[in-house]
Amino acid sequence: MAELLADHTTLRLGGPARGWVRAASEDEIVEAVSSVDGPVLVLGGGSNLVVADAGFDGTVVEVATRGLDADVEGDDPTCGGVVVTVAAGESWDAFVAQAVDSGWVGVEALAGIPGLVGATPIQNVGAYGQEVAQTIARVRVWDRVLKGVRTFANADCGFGYRTSRFKADPERHVVLDVTFQLRQGDLGAPVEYAELARVLGVELGRRAPLTEVRDAVLHLRRGKGMVLDPDDHDTCSAGSFFTNPVVAESDVPVGAPAWPSPDGRVKVSAAWLIEQAGFHKGFGTGAVGLSTKHTLAITNRGGATTEELLGLARQLRDGVEAAHGIRLVNEPVLVGCSL
């Protein structure tokens, strides 16, 4: 019987794959993506995928590699840093927990994000004022065009808001491992997100204990249905379905929460745009709907189809564009389907 993608995605959606390879070593990953005929889908934790009801007419390569190697810099670990190389198949949230327990600073605000380490540089995963681009030293990949292993330093990864060179050319690079350069200490990085600062009881730009930052982030994410829970349909999603749009300052709707973007434009809250366009928490009928906790998550309430989910996504996108003149862009990767 063909393997269903629905059994491997957090949305619990997606039809069968024509072929399936579980790669538990780097050599197995390279062999699989190099020898398989036809389309290949490299699968990590399935937390950022929307797969068509018809499935995937190709071979899924499931990344299942494990391993972590930490190299402490300097003779005194209390004032130095640590270089940590993590296999692509390791759980991201487990790595964050280990970093906090070990006193490694720089990823503590990224707790609770589902998926695997290898996916984080592709999307330049970020939350609560941190992005992985801030701590990634290098990314090692298999280049399917040049047919060899390549290592990209941070500056060569093309990191931007929820993007990278790997996302821009998804058929080419398969992440093998990621190396992070982290500081060591008991205090987290300066808190750059107002909501997190409020929960921690610190001013913006101040620092708080690592464990408290991680606990506060998990508390906030759970309150928004953004920590996976099999008993809670609100967590049966792909996280934030739309990115926060980046627009000219003159195009920001009156009253919209907005933040400066590095390119001189302004990032606007997609959740606010959705709510102000008339789509409230819990909006939807039948098997799909907005989370009752957060308007950025589209959820499978049980028994949904991908086409039903995409129908709601189109309704949200078009409604926001009609109300605000801003077109939302999906954050998850769409496989065999489109908006």
Side-chain angles (χ1 to χ4, degrees):
M1 181 179 296
E3 194 85 19
L4 291 176
L5 269 300
D7 294 331
H8 298 271
T9 62
T10 55
L11 269 168
R12 298 291 179 248
L13 295 176
R18 180 159 49 85
W20 198 284
V21 176
R22 187 176 188 275
S25 71
E26 187 174 299
D27 288 344
E28 289 176 358
I29 293 175
V30 172
E31 172 66 20
V33 299
S34 302
S35 63
V36 168
D37 292 328
V40 172
L41 173 63
V42 179
L43 176 70
S47 60
N48 200 47
L49 285 181
V50 179
V51 182
D53 294 313
F56 180 65
D57 188 22
T59 300
V60 170
V61 177
E62 179 186 357
V63 176
T65 51
R66 299 290 184 268
L68 181 150
D69 180 66
D71 182 18
V72 177
E73 299 176 319
D75 296 327
D76 183 358
T78 62
C79 62
V82 60
V83 176
V84 188
T85 298
V86 190
E90 287 283 355
S91 160
W92 171 256
D93 191 42
F95 166 58
V96 172
Q98 182 171 349
V100 170
D101 289 343
S102 302
W104 302 338
V105 180
V107 294
E108 58 280 352
L110 302 177
I113 295 176
L116 305 184
V117 168
T120 60
I122 298 171
Q123 192 79 0
N124 186 16
V125 164
Y128 296 104
Q130 285 185 353
E131 292 180 333
V132 292
Q134 296 169 328
T135 52
I136 286 178
R138 55 188 177 270
V139 180
R140 202 165 61 92
V141 306
W142 172 258
D143 188 322
R144 298 178 64 194
V145 174
L146 297 181
K147 302 186 186 307
V149 174
R150 300 178 68 188
T151 299
F152 293 98
N154 182 295
D156 299 320
C157 290
F159 288 128
Y161 173 57
R162 301 298 175 270
T163 193
S164 67
R165 75 180 298 158
F166 315 114
K167 184 175 181 179
D169 195 359
E171 301 300 319
R172 179 165 184 169
H173 302 109
V174 180
V175 177
L176 300 174
D177 59 45
V178 185
T179 298
F180 299 86
Q181 189 158 17
L182 306 170
R183 292 187 300 103
Q184 291 190 289
D186 298 325
L187 297 177
V191 178
E192 303 293 347
Y193 198 84
E195 185 182 26
L196 179 58
R198 176 182 57 78
V199 171
L200 287 166
V202 300
E203 296 179 2
L204 276 176
R206 306 294 290 181
R207 300 167 68 190
L210 276 175
T211 54
E212 292 184 16
V213 174
R214 178 174 179 266
D215 290 346
V217 167
L218 290 173
H219 170 75
L220 287 168
R221 291 185 67 86
R222 287 192 183 97
K224 299 173 182 179
M226 294 292 187
V227 176
L228 293 178
D229 181 348
D231 297 323
D232 184 358
H233 284 313
D234 272 339
T235 73
C236 195
S237 74
S240 297
F241 198 89
F242 296 105
T243 58
N244 291 321
V246 180
V247 302
E249 189 170 359
S250 59
D251 293 332
V252 177
V254 175
W259 309 271
S261 180
D263 63 3
R265 297 184 295 165
V266 178
K267 187 188 302 180
V268 183
S269 167
W272 185 93
L273 295 173
I274 291 169
E275 291 176 12
Q276 295 301 310
F279 303 107
H280 52 80
K281 295 173 185 175
F283 177 86
T285 58
V288 297
L290 288 178
S291 165
T292 63
K293 303 179 181 71
H294 200 283
T295 51
L296 266 184
I298 303 177
T299 66
N300 175 2
R301 295 170 174 170
T305 66
T306 300
E307 196 50 45
E308 287 173 327
L309 180 125
L310 292 173
L312 177 56
R314 295 183 190 108
Q315 186 179 359
L316 299 173
R317 179 199 63 191
D318 296 346
V320 166
E321 188 168 22
H324 305 293
I326 296 174
R327 190 173 181 84
L328 296 179
V329 175
N330 53 285
E331 183 168 332
V333 175
L334 307 183
V335 177
C337 54
S338 66
L339 285 181

PDB file of all heavy atoms in Angstrom, residues 59-95:
ATOM      1  N   THR A  59       8.923  10.331  -5.839  1.00  0.00           N
ATOM      2  CA  THR A  59       9.477   9.639  -4.671  1.00  0.00           C
ATOM      3  C   THR A  59       9.724  10.612  -3.524  1.00  0.00           C
ATOM      4  O   THR A  59      10.352  11.651  -3.713  1.00  0.00           O
ATOM      5  CB  THR A  59      10.799   8.943  -5.029  1.00  0.00           C
ATOM      6  OG1 THR A  59      10.561   7.992  -6.075  1.00  0.00           O
ATOM      7  CG2 THR A  59      11.384   8.230  -3.816  1.00  0.00           C
ATOM      8  N   VAL A  60       9.222  10.270  -2.369  1.00  0.00           N
ATOM      9  CA  VAL A  60       9.496  11.033  -1.156  1.00  0.00           C
ATOM     10  C   VAL A  60      10.765  10.476  -0.522  1.00  0.00           C
ATOM     11  O   VAL A  60      10.882   9.263  -0.329  1.00  0.00           O
ATOM     12  CB  VAL A  60       8.324  10.945  -0.156  1.00  0.00           C
ATOM     13  CG1 VAL A  60       8.729  11.542   1.193  1.00  0.00           C
ATOM     14  CG2 VAL A  60       7.097  11.655  -0.704  1.00  0.00           C
ATOM     15  N   VAL A  61      11.702  11.359  -0.228  1.00  0.00           N
ATOM     16  CA  VAL A  61      12.903  10.974   0.516  1.00  0.00           C
ATOM     17  C   VAL A  61      12.755  11.551   1.917  1.00  0.00           C
ATOM     18  O   VAL A  61      12.848  12.763   2.122  1.00  0.00           O
ATOM     19  CB  VAL A  61      14.186  11.488  -0.155  1.00  0.00           C
ATOM     20  CG1 VAL A  61      15.407  11.132   0.696  1.00  0.00           C
ATOM     21  CG2 VAL A  61      14.315  10.907  -1.557  1.00  0.00           C
ATOM     22  N   GLU A  62      12.481  10.690   2.868  1.00  0.00           N
ATOM     23  CA  GLU A  62      12.275  11.099   4.253  1.00  0.00           C
ATOM     24  C   GLU A  62      13.626  11.186   4.962  1.00  0.00           C
ATOM     25  O   GLU A  62      14.337  10.193   5.097  1.00  0.00           O
ATOM     26  CB  GLU A  62      11.367  10.095   4.965  1.00  0.00           C
ATOM     27  CG  GLU A  62      11.107  10.420   6.419  1.00  0.00           C
ATOM     28  CD  GLU A  62      10.333   9.323   7.126  1.00  0.00           C
ATOM     29  OE1 GLU A  62       9.951   8.326   6.472  1.00  0.00           O
ATOM     30  OE2 GLU A  62      10.132   9.452   8.352  1.00  0.00           O
ATOM     31  N   VAL A  63      13.976  12.378   5.408  1.00  0.00           N
ATOM     32  CA  VAL A  63      15.263  12.597   6.070  1.00  0.00           C
ATOM     33  C   VAL A  63      15.157  12.144   7.522  1.00  0.00           C
ATOM     34  O   VAL A  63      14.363  12.669   8.301  1.00  0.00           O
ATOM     35  CB  VAL A  63      15.667  14.081   5.993  1.00  0.00           C
ATOM     36  CG1 VAL A  63      16.968  14.312   6.764  1.00  0.00           C
ATOM     37  CG2 VAL A  63      15.820  14.515   4.542  1.00  0.00           C
ATOM     38  N   ALA A  64      15.983  11.156   7.885  1.00  0.00           N
ATOM     39  CA  ALA A  64      15.928  10.589   9.233  1.00  0.00           C
ATOM     40  C   ALA A  64      17.315  10.485   9.860  1.00  0.00           C
ATOM     41  O   ALA A  64      17.576   9.627  10.698  1.00  0.00           O
ATOM     42  CB  ALA A  64      15.271   9.207   9.193  1.00  0.00           C
ATOM     43  N   THR A  65      18.228  11.376   9.451  1.00  0.00           N
ATOM     44  CA  THR A  65      19.584  11.359   9.999  1.00  0.00           C
ATOM     45  C   THR A  65      19.600  11.916  11.413  1.00  0.00           C
ATOM     46  O   THR A  65      18.752  12.720  11.794  1.00  0.00           O
ATOM     47  CB  THR A  65      20.528  12.190   9.116  1.00  0.00           C
ATOM     48  OG1 THR A  65      19.947  13.487   8.897  1.00  0.00           O
ATOM     49  CG2 THR A  65      20.742  11.513   7.783  1.00  0.00           C
ATOM     50  N   ARG A  66      20.564  11.476  12.193  1.00  0.00           N
ATOM     51  CA  ARG A  66      20.702  11.922  13.573  1.00  0.00           C
ATOM     52  C   ARG A  66      22.156  12.280  13.859  1.00  0.00           C
ATOM     53  O   ARG A  66      23.068  11.783  13.203  1.00  0.00           O
ATOM     54  CB  ARG A  66      20.251  10.817  14.547  1.00  0.00           C
ATOM     55  CG  ARG A  66      18.795  10.405  14.395  1.00  0.00           C
ATOM     56  CD  ARG A  66      17.845  11.490  14.876  1.00  0.00           C
ATOM     57  NE  ARG A  66      16.460  11.055  14.820  1.00  0.00           N
ATOM     58  CZ  ARG A  66      15.655  11.251  13.776  1.00  0.00           C
ATOM     59  NH1 ARG A  66      16.115  11.884  12.695  1.00  0.00           N
ATOM     60  NH2 ARG A  66      14.407  10.830  13.795  1.00  0.00           N
ATOM     61  N   GLY A  67      22.331  13.130  14.863  1.00  0.00           N
ATOM     62  CA  GLY A  67      23.690  13.452  15.288  1.00  0.00           C
ATOM     63  C   GLY A  67      23.856  14.927  15.612  1.00  0.00           C
ATOM     64  O   GLY A  67      23.263  15.790  14.965  1.00  0.00           O
ATOM     65  N   LEU A  68      24.674  15.190  16.652  1.00  0.00           N
ATOM     66  CA  LEU A  68      24.988  16.562  17.063  1.00  0.00           C
ATOM     67  C   LEU A  68      26.409  16.567  17.592  1.00  0.00           C
ATOM     68  O   LEU A  68      26.785  15.720  18.400  1.00  0.00           O
ATOM     69  CB  LEU A  68      24.002  17.034  18.136  1.00  0.00           C
ATOM     70  CG  LEU A  68      24.147  18.450  18.672  1.00  0.00           C
ATOM     71  CD1 LEU A  68      22.797  19.005  19.104  1.00  0.00           C
ATOM     72  CD2 LEU A  68      25.123  18.490  19.866  1.00  0.00           C
ATOM     73  N   ASP A  69      27.192  17.536  17.119  1.00  0.00           N
ATOM     74  CA  ASP A  69      28.579  17.653  17.559  1.00  0.00           C
ATOM     75  C   ASP A  69      28.827  19.084  17.998  1.00  0.00           C
ATOM     76  O   ASP A  69      28.628  20.025  17.227  1.00  0.00           O
ATOM     77  CB  ASP A  69      29.532  17.289  16.417  1.00  0.00           C
ATOM     78  CG  ASP A  69      30.984  17.404  16.834  1.00  0.00           C
ATOM     79  OD1 ASP A  69      31.417  16.632  17.701  1.00  0.00           O
ATOM     80  OD2 ASP A  69      31.677  18.284  16.296  1.00  0.00           O
ATOM     81  N   ALA A  70      29.234  19.262  19.277  1.00  0.00           N
ATOM     82  CA  ALA A  70      29.465  20.593  19.834  1.00  0.00           C
ATOM     83  C   ALA A  70      30.943  20.793  20.101  1.00  0.00           C
ATOM     84  O   ALA A  70      31.595  19.946  20.714  1.00  0.00           O
ATOM     85  CB  ALA A  70      28.670  20.765  21.126  1.00  0.00           C
ATOM     86  N   ASP A  71      31.467  21.919  19.640  1.00  0.00           N
ATOM     87  CA  ASP A  71      32.875  22.256  19.829  1.00  0.00           C
ATOM     88  C   ASP A  71      32.944  23.589  20.567  1.00  0.00           C
ATOM     89  O   ASP A  71      32.600  24.635  20.023  1.00  0.00           O
ATOM     90  CB  ASP A  71      33.567  22.372  18.472  1.00  0.00           C
ATOM     91  CG  ASP A  71      35.052  22.673  18.595  1.00  0.00           C
ATOM     92  OD1 ASP A  71      35.604  22.460  19.689  1.00  0.00           O
ATOM     93  OD2 ASP A  71      35.649  23.134  17.604  1.00  0.00           O
ATOM     94  N   VAL A  72      33.364  23.531  21.835  1.00  0.00           N
ATOM     95  CA  VAL A  72      33.447  24.743  22.657  1.00  0.00           C
ATOM     96  C   VAL A  72      34.682  25.530  22.256  1.00  0.00           C
ATOM     97  O   VAL A  72      35.786  24.990  22.154  1.00  0.00           O
ATOM     98  CB  VAL A  72      33.492  24.392  24.157  1.00  0.00           C
ATOM     99  CG1 VAL A  72      33.665  25.665  24.991  1.00  0.00           C
ATOM    100  CG2 VAL A  72      32.224  23.660  24.558  1.00  0.00           C
ATOM    101  N   GLU A  73      34.487  26.839  22.025  1.00  0.00           N
ATOM    102  CA  GLU A  73      35.593  27.715  21.648  1.00  0.00           C
ATOM    103  C   GLU A  73      36.250  28.296  22.901  1.00  0.00           C
ATOM    104  O   GLU A  73      35.567  28.719  23.829  1.00  0.00           O
ATOM    105  CB  GLU A  73      35.088  28.860  20.775  1.00  0.00           C
ATOM    106  CG  GLU A  73      34.454  28.408  19.467  1.00  0.00           C
ATOM    107  CD  GLU A  73      33.893  29.586  18.687  1.00  0.00           C
ATOM    108  OE1 GLU A  73      33.287  30.477  19.303  1.00  0.00           O
ATOM    109  OE2 GLU A  73      34.065  29.600  17.466  1.00  0.00           O
ATOM    110  N   GLY A  74      37.550  28.323  22.930  1.00  0.00           N
ATOM    111  CA  GLY A  74      38.262  28.952  24.037  1.00  0.00           C
ATOM    112  C   GLY A  74      38.433  28.006  25.215  1.00  0.00           C
ATOM    113  O   GLY A  74      37.797  26.966  25.321  1.00  0.00           O
ATOM    114  N   ASP A  75      39.301  28.405  26.128  1.00  0.00           N
ATOM    115  CA  ASP A  75      39.580  27.572  27.295  1.00  0.00           C
ATOM    116  C   ASP A  75      38.521  27.721  28.384  1.00  0.00           C
ATOM    117  O   ASP A  75      38.313  26.816  29.186  1.00  0.00           O
ATOM    118  CB  ASP A  75      40.954  27.934  27.879  1.00  0.00           C
ATOM    119  CG  ASP A  75      42.086  27.637  26.896  1.00  0.00           C
ATOM    120  OD1 ASP A  75      41.934  26.661  26.129  1.00  0.00           O
ATOM    121  OD2 ASP A  75      43.085  28.366  26.897  1.00  0.00           O
ATOM    122  N   ASP A  76      37.887  28.871  28.427  1.00  0.00           N
ATOM    123  CA  ASP A  76      36.894  29.128  29.466  1.00  0.00           C
ATOM    124  C   ASP A  76      35.512  29.118  28.846  1.00  0.00           C
ATOM    125  O   ASP A  76      35.121  30.076  28.172  1.00  0.00           O
ATOM    126  CB  ASP A  76      37.163  30.478  30.127  1.00  0.00           C
ATOM    127  CG  ASP A  76      36.191  30.757  31.283  1.00  0.00           C
ATOM    128  OD1 ASP A  76      35.308  29.908  31.518  1.00  0.00           O
ATOM    129  OD2 ASP A  76      36.319  31.805  31.914  1.00  0.00           O
ATOM    130  N   PRO A  77      34.729  28.040  29.016  1.00  0.00           N
ATOM    131  CA  PRO A  77      33.431  27.946  28.359  1.00  0.00           C
ATOM    132  C   PRO A  77      32.438  28.992  28.830  1.00  0.00           C
ATOM    133  O   PRO A  77      31.454  29.254  28.161  1.00  0.00           O
ATOM    134  CB  PRO A  77      32.957  26.528  28.720  1.00  0.00           C
ATOM    135  CG  PRO A  77      33.706  26.167  29.961  1.00  0.00           C
ATOM    136  CD  PRO A  77      35.028  26.850  29.843  1.00  0.00           C
ATOM    137  N   THR A  78      32.695  29.629  29.980  1.00  0.00           N
ATOM    138  CA  THR A  78      31.729  30.607  30.485  1.00  0.00           C
ATOM    139  C   THR A  78      31.810  31.927  29.730  1.00  0.00           C
ATOM    140  O   THR A  78      30.888  32.729  29.787  1.00  0.00           O
ATOM    141  CB  THR A  78      31.962  30.874  31.983  1.00  0.00           C
ATOM    142  OG1 THR A  78      33.271  31.436  32.166  1.00  0.00           O
ATOM    143  CG2 THR A  78      31.830  29.604  32.785  1.00  0.00           C
ATOM    144  N   CYS A  79      32.901  32.183  29.024  1.00  0.00           N
ATOM    145  CA  CYS A  79      33.012  33.458  28.313  1.00  0.00           C
ATOM    146  C   CYS A  79      33.256  33.258  26.823  1.00  0.00           C
ATOM    147  O   CYS A  79      33.502  34.213  26.097  1.00  0.00           O
ATOM    148  CB  CYS A  79      34.123  34.325  28.918  1.00  0.00           C
ATOM    149  SG  CYS A  79      35.762  33.587  28.814  1.00  0.00           S
ATOM    150  N   GLY A  80      33.224  32.029  26.369  1.00  0.00           N
ATOM    151  CA  GLY A  80      33.432  31.759  24.960  1.00  0.00           C
ATOM    152  C   GLY A  80      32.135  31.443  24.249  1.00  0.00           C
ATOM    153  O   GLY A  80      31.053  31.806  24.676  1.00  0.00           O
ATOM    154  N   GLY A  81      32.271  30.748  23.155  1.00  0.00           N
ATOM    155  CA  GLY A  81      31.108  30.345  22.392  1.00  0.00           C
ATOM    156  C   GLY A  81      31.177  28.868  22.105  1.00  0.00           C
ATOM    157  O   GLY A  81      32.081  28.169  22.560  1.00  0.00           O
ATOM    158  N   VAL A  82      30.214  28.393  21.365  1.00  0.00           N
ATOM    159  CA  VAL A  82      30.183  26.989  20.988  1.00  0.00           C
ATOM    160  C   VAL A  82      29.724  26.884  19.542  1.00  0.00           C
ATOM    161  O   VAL A  82      28.830  27.603  19.108  1.00  0.00           O
ATOM    162  CB  VAL A  82      29.254  26.177  21.929  1.00  0.00           C
ATOM    163  CG1 VAL A  82      27.832  26.703  21.884  1.00  0.00           C
ATOM    164  CG2 VAL A  82      29.281  24.695  21.587  1.00  0.00           C
ATOM    165  N   VAL A  83      30.394  26.021  18.794  1.00  0.00           N
ATOM    166  CA  VAL A  83      30.018  25.742  17.412  1.00  0.00           C
ATOM    167  C   VAL A  83      29.356  24.368  17.396  1.00  0.00           C
ATOM    168  O   VAL A  83      29.977  23.370  17.787  1.00  0.00           O
ATOM    169  CB  VAL A  83      31.245  25.768  16.482  1.00  0.00           C
ATOM    170  CG1 VAL A  83      30.838  25.386  15.063  1.00  0.00           C
ATOM    171  CG2 VAL A  83      31.880  27.157  16.498  1.00  0.00           C
ATOM    172  N   VAL A  84      28.093  24.315  16.987  1.00  0.00           N
ATOM    173  CA  VAL A  84      27.304  23.091  17.063  1.00  0.00           C
ATOM    174  C   VAL A  84      26.857  22.696  15.661  1.00  0.00           C
ATOM    175  O   VAL A  84      26.177  23.475  14.979  1.00  0.00           O
ATOM    176  CB  VAL A  84      26.065  23.277  17.958  1.00  0.00           C
ATOM    177  CG1 VAL A  84      25.375  21.942  18.181  1.00  0.00           C
ATOM    178  CG2 VAL A  84      26.430  23.913  19.283  1.00  0.00           C
ATOM    179  N   THR A  85      27.244  21.511  15.242  1.00  0.00           N
ATOM    180  CA  THR A  85      26.808  20.985  13.945  1.00  0.00           C
ATOM    181  C   THR A  85      25.737  19.924  14.186  1.00  0.00           C
ATOM    182  O   THR A  85      25.955  18.972  14.942  1.00  0.00           O
ATOM    183  CB  THR A  85      27.988  20.381  13.165  1.00  0.00           C
ATOM    184  OG1 THR A  85      28.951  21.420  12.908  1.00  0.00           O
ATOM    185  CG2 THR A  85      27.523  19.800  11.843  1.00  0.00           C
ATOM    186  N   VAL A  86      24.583  20.112  13.552  1.00  0.00           N
ATOM    187  CA  VAL A  86      23.420  19.272  13.817  1.00  0.00           C
ATOM    188  C   VAL A  86      22.949  18.626  12.514  1.00  0.00           C
ATOM    189  O   VAL A  86      22.800  19.307  11.492  1.00  0.00           O
ATOM    190  CB  VAL A  86      22.264  20.088  14.434  1.00  0.00           C
ATOM    191  CG1 VAL A  86      21.169  19.168  14.936  1.00  0.00           C
ATOM    192  CG2 VAL A  86      22.766  20.989  15.554  1.00  0.00           C
ATOM    193  N   ALA A  87      22.715  17.313  12.551  1.00  0.00           N
ATOM    194  CA  ALA A  87      22.217  16.597  11.383  1.00  0.00           C
ATOM    195  C   ALA A  87      20.852  17.118  10.977  1.00  0.00           C
ATOM    196  O   ALA A  87      20.032  17.525  11.812  1.00  0.00           O
ATOM    197  CB  ALA A  87      22.150  15.098  11.671  1.00  0.00           C
ATOM    198  N   ALA A  88      20.571  17.084   9.680  1.00  0.00           N
ATOM    199  CA  ALA A  88      19.327  17.639   9.147  1.00  0.00           C
ATOM    200  C   ALA A  88      18.091  16.966   9.722  1.00  0.00           C
ATOM    201  O   ALA A  88      17.033  17.586   9.846  1.00  0.00           O
ATOM    202  CB  ALA A  88      19.318  17.516   7.623  1.00  0.00           C
ATOM    203  N   GLY A  89      18.212  15.686  10.103  1.00  0.00           N
ATOM    204  CA  GLY A  89      17.048  14.944  10.567  1.00  0.00           C
ATOM    205  C   GLY A  89      16.743  15.073  12.039  1.00  0.00           C
ATOM    206  O   GLY A  89      15.781  14.472  12.535  1.00  0.00           O
ATOM    207  N   GLU A  90      17.509  15.871  12.768  1.00  0.00           N
ATOM    208  CA  GLU A  90      17.238  16.065  14.196  1.00  0.00           C
ATOM    209  C   GLU A  90      16.020  16.974  14.390  1.00  0.00           C
ATOM    210  O   GLU A  90      15.785  17.906  13.621  1.00  0.00           O
ATOM    211  CB  GLU A  90      18.451  16.687  14.896  1.00  0.00           C
ATOM    212  CG  GLU A  90      19.624  15.750  15.086  1.00  0.00           C
ATOM    213  CD  GLU A  90      19.413  14.764  16.232  1.00  0.00           C
ATOM    214  OE1 GLU A  90      18.398  14.869  16.933  1.00  0.00           O
ATOM    215  OE2 GLU A  90      20.283  13.889  16.419  1.00  0.00           O
ATOM    216  N   SER A  91      15.275  16.724  15.456  1.00  0.00           N
ATOM    217  CA  SER A  91      14.137  17.574  15.804  1.00  0.00           C
ATOM    218  C   SER A  91      14.614  18.968  16.173  1.00  0.00           C
ATOM    219  O   SER A  91      15.503  19.124  17.019  1.00  0.00           O
ATOM    220  CB  SER A  91      13.372  16.965  16.985  1.00  0.00           C
ATOM    221  OG  SER A  91      12.578  17.933  17.640  1.00  0.00           O
ATOM    222  N   TRP A  92      13.996  19.985  15.565  1.00  0.00           N
ATOM    223  CA  TRP A  92      14.384  21.348  15.882  1.00  0.00           C
ATOM    224  C   TRP A  92      14.082  21.681  17.342  1.00  0.00           C
ATOM    225  O   TRP A  92      14.923  22.236  18.048  1.00  0.00           O
ATOM    226  CB  TRP A  92      13.681  22.346  14.965  1.00  0.00           C
ATOM    227  CG  TRP A  92      13.910  23.753  15.421  1.00  0.00           C
ATOM    228  CD1 TRP A  92      13.052  24.572  16.075  1.00  0.00           C
ATOM    229  CD2 TRP A  92      15.149  24.477  15.317  1.00  0.00           C
ATOM    230  NE1 TRP A  92      13.661  25.773  16.385  1.00  0.00           N
ATOM    231  CE2 TRP A  92      14.945  25.741  15.932  1.00  0.00           C
ATOM    232  CE3 TRP A  92      16.405  24.183  14.769  1.00  0.00           C
ATOM    233  CZ2 TRP A  92      15.959  26.706  15.997  1.00  0.00           C
ATOM    234  CZ3 TRP A  92      17.405  25.145  14.837  1.00  0.00           C
ATOM    235  CH2 TRP A  92      17.177  26.386  15.447  1.00  0.00           C
ATOM    236  N   ASP A  93      12.889  21.373  17.803  1.00  0.00           N
ATOM    237  CA  ASP A  93      12.503  21.743  19.165  1.00  0.00           C
ATOM    238  C   ASP A  93      13.377  21.034  20.196  1.00  0.00           C
ATOM    239  O   ASP A  93      13.727  21.616  21.230  1.00  0.00           O
ATOM    240  CB  ASP A  93      11.029  21.424  19.412  1.00  0.00           C
ATOM    241  CG  ASP A  93      10.516  22.019  20.711  1.00  0.00           C
ATOM    242  OD1 ASP A  93      10.854  23.180  21.004  1.00  0.00           O
ATOM    243  OD2 ASP A  93       9.786  21.319  21.433  1.00  0.00           O
ATOM    244  N   ALA A  94      13.753  19.798  19.915  1.00  0.00           N
ATOM    245  CA  ALA A  94      14.646  19.077  20.831  1.00  0.00           C
ATOM    246  C   ALA A  94      16.022  19.734  20.864  1.00  0.00           C
ATOM    247  O   ALA A  94      16.665  19.807  21.918  1.00  0.00           O
ATOM    248  CB  ALA A  94      14.767  17.615  20.409  1.00  0.00           C
ATOM    249  N   PHE A  95      16.486  20.213  19.719  1.00  0.00           N
ATOM    250  CA  PHE A  95      17.767  20.913  19.682  1.00  0.00           C
ATOM    251  C   PHE A  95      17.704  22.198  20.504  1.00  0.00           C
ATOM    252  O   PHE A  95      18.626  22.512  21.264  1.00  0.00           O
ATOM    253  CB  PHE A  95      18.164  21.225  18.245  1.00  0.00           C
ATOM    254  CG  PHE A  95      19.290  22.214  18.129  1.00  0.00           C
ATOM    255  CD1 PHE A  95      20.525  21.964  18.716  1.00  0.00           C
ATOM    256  CD2 PHE A  95      19.117  23.411  17.445  1.00  0.00           C
ATOM    257  CE1 PHE A  95      21.565  22.882  18.625  1.00  0.00           C
ATOM    258  CE2 PHE A  95      20.143  24.332  17.346  1.00  0.00           C
ATOM    259  CZ  PHE A  95      21.372  24.077  17.936  1.00  0.00           C
TER     260      PHE A  95
END
